[in-house]
Amino acid sequence: MTLAASLGVTAPAQAQASTDTVGAIRNRGELVCGVAGQVPGFAAPDSRGEMRGIDADTCRAVAAAVFGDARKVRFVATTPQNRFTALQSGEIDMLVRNTTWTLSREASLGLEFASINMYDGQGFLVKTASGVTSAKDLGGASICVQPGTTTELNMADYFRTQNIQFTPVVIETVEEVQKAFMAGRCDAYTTDASSLASFRATQGANAGNYLLLPEIISKEPLGAVVRKGDFKFFDIVRWVHFAQLTAEEMGIASKNVDSFTDSNNPDVQRFVGKSGDLGKMMGLQADWAVQVVKQVGNYGEVWDRNITPLGIQRGINNLWTKGGLQYAPPMR
């Protein structure tokens, strides 16, 4: 997908009067997916203008399941302020934009979180030369933050609890926040720790000039969001993620998936569509999970391709069999 398309230059998706999101996507011939569009490792254009990152690959995996073709995605760049409106209005079919699953968002916005592609938490980034080594050293500091995010509230709650005075510097876009921090307009920059690590990694040889403080002050389960009321599409988005986890558990990857098609293992037979009618249950082709893995990869491959280069350890995003939180219900 080109950069122009990724920024939403082409016509937006139309809001649907019905709840047949999958039908609308197929009639249109593409999945319209809202992403950040500017966060390396999550969703940002590469040197050829192709959108890359774990969020972008979440969109591609859904397209692979629905169409059998992971390329049938149009990426639309969204902001913290317009992302939910874009989904509610039907401008986009799904949202995968470093978006935290919270009760208020799910209960009051008419939206549903279908999957978690990263368990994250909020952190703080400072300049190494400041001598600050803990968030508790930020008394009297100015801190750059984006409005309309859970980050803003988490920061206020944390410092109130710690009885620490600070000055928020609220700036609209992530690029302007980062520029302000680098220019010295604020003493610290706060957002999800993974995004801070992403920003730090983009500094190349200067990455050592910035320090990610050790405190993680919140739970930030990030994932894919859809509109409430269409459980068919919700199921697809949710089980595409589970299929990628299941594939990693079973050792099925993009390079070897074809070698599993003749397996006698009942779990593998259901996964590849040789038995069980799992695809039919969701209105998909029998080999939908095979296409997801072949074209996009299992969860571990997606992580290694997009997040490992940022220097972020997999940690709690490991499979449950390796002490992590990523766990898929049985595909049967």
Side-chain angles (χ1 to χ4, degrees), residues 8 10-14 25 28 30-35 59 67 72-76 87 90-95 227 233:
T10 50
Q14 297 299 310
I25 291 169
R28 189 190 310 123
E30 62 182 3
L31 170 73
V32 184
C33 200
V35 295
C59 303
F67 291 109
K72 291 189 175 183
V73 182
R74 172 155 53 90
F75 296 103
V76 174
L87 183 56
E91 180 183 351
I92 58 179
D93 300 310
M94 60 184 287
L95 174 69
R227 289 181 292 275
F233 187 52

Side-chain angles (χ1 to χ4, degrees), residues 152-218:
E152 195 176 12
L153 177 60
N154 292 337
M155 177 178 65
D157 287 348
Y158 175 76
F159 285 115
R160 185 183 303 113
T161 301
Q162 297 294 324
N163 197 28
I164 296 173
Q165 298 297 314
F166 75 102
T167 301
V169 180
V170 181
I171 302 175
E172 188 80 10
T173 69
V174 65
E175 297 101 325
E176 292 303 316
V177 169
Q178 292 167 353
K179 288 178 182 177
F181 170 61
M182 294 178 72
R185 285 181 55 194
C186 49
D187 302 307
Y189 166 28
T190 186
T191 187
D192 296 339
S194 61
S195 294
L196 295 175
S198 170
F199 167 68
R200 184 177 181 274
T202 63
Q203 303 308 301
N206 294 321
N209 294 337
Y210 302 95
L211 176 66
L212 185 59
L213 299 181
E215 289 84 2
I216 299 296
I217 67 169
S218 69

Side-chain angles (χ1 to χ4, degrees), residues 300-314:
E301 290 180 282
V302 172
W303 181 279
D304 289 341
R305 180 165 60 240
N306 299 301
I307 304 302
T308 298
L310 301 179
I312 299 174
Q313 298 298 313
R314 190 154 168 196

Side-chain angles (χ1 to χ4, degrees), residues 22-310:
V22 178
I25 291 169
R26 285 181 171 143
N27 289 337
R28 189 190 310 123
E30 62 182 3
L31 170 73
V32 184
C33 200
V35 295
Q38 57 199 6
V39 181
F42 290 84
D46 64 12
S47 59
R48 298 180 301 171
E50 297 285 339
M51 195 64 75
R52 300 298 179 193
I54 191 172
D55 289 349
D57 280 347
T58 297
C59 303
R60 289 190 176 94
V62 173
V66 173
F67 291 109
D69 188 344
R71 298 169 298 179
K72 291 189 175 183
V73 182
R74 172 155 53 90
F75 296 103
V76 174
T78 62
T79 69
Q81 292 72 39
N82 71 16
R83 55 184 164 172
F84 297 126
T85 303
L87 183 56
Q88 291 164 332
S89 69
E91 180 183 351
I92 58 179
D93 300 310
M94 60 184 287
L95 174 69
V96 198
R97 193 206 180 282
N98 309 83
T99 298
T100 302
W101 185 354
T102 70
L103 186 153
S104 59
R105 286 174 172 175
E106 195 162 82
S108 66
L109 297 179
L111 307 176
E112 199 100 54
F113 283 76
S115 63
I116 298 173
N117 67 359
M118 176 177 279
Y119 290 93
D120 205 353
Q122 184 175 332
F124 297 91
L125 192 71
V126 298
K127 292 179 179 176
T128 306
S130 70
V132 172
T133 58
S134 168
K136 294 179 181 179
D137 297 334
L138 291 173
S142 56
I143 303 177
C144 281
V145 64
Q146 281 186 276
T149 62
T150 56
T151 307
E152 195 176 12
L153 177 60
N154 292 337
M155 177 178 65
D157 287 348
Y158 175 76
F159 285 115
R160 185 183 303 113
T161 301
Q162 297 294 324
N163 197 28
I164 296 173
Q165 298 297 314
F166 75 102
T167 301
V169 180
V170 181
I171 302 175
E172 188 80 10
T173 69
V174 65
E175 297 101 325
E176 292 303 316
V177 169
Q178 292 167 353
K179 288 178 182 177
F181 170 61
M182 294 178 72
R185 285 181 55 194
C186 49
D187 302 307
Y189 166 28
T190 186
T191 187
D192 296 339
S194 61
S195 294
L196 295 175
S198 170
F199 167 68
R200 184 177 181 274
T202 63
Q203 303 308 301
N206 294 321
N209 294 337
Y210 302 95
L211 176 66
L212 185 59
L213 299 181
E215 289 84 2
I216 299 296
I217 67 169
S218 69
K219 294 184 293 185
E220 305 292 334
L222 311 177
V225 195
V226 299
R227 289 181 292 275
K228 278 187 177 178
D230 188 345
F231 289 103
K232 180 179 179 182
F233 187 52
F234 173 87
D235 287 347
I236 290 172
V237 175
R238 166 169 280 186
W239 282 95
V240 162
H241 176 66
F242 288 154
Q244 290 179 293
L245 294 178
T246 300
E248 185 181 4
E249 278 191 45
M250 294 194 295
I252 302 175
S254 56
K255 296 291 198 304
N256 68 11
V257 61
D258 287 335
S259 68
F260 284 83
T261 55
D262 294 325
S263 171
N264 292 323
N265 183 313
D267 288 331
V268 174
Q269 287 184 337
R270 283 187 288 268
F271 185 90
V272 301
K274 290 295 183 68
S275 67
D277 289 331
L278 299 183
K280 184 177 180 181
M281 293 176 190
M282 296 196 296
L284 302 175
Q285 294 297 314
D287 69 342
W288 66 274
V290 170
Q291 295 306 319
V292 168
V293 175
K294 180 181 291 189
Q295 297 183 42
V296 184
N298 65 35
Y299 181 78
E301 290 180 282
V302 172
W303 181 279
D304 289 341
R305 180 165 60 240
N306 299 301
I307 304 302
T308 298
L310 301 179

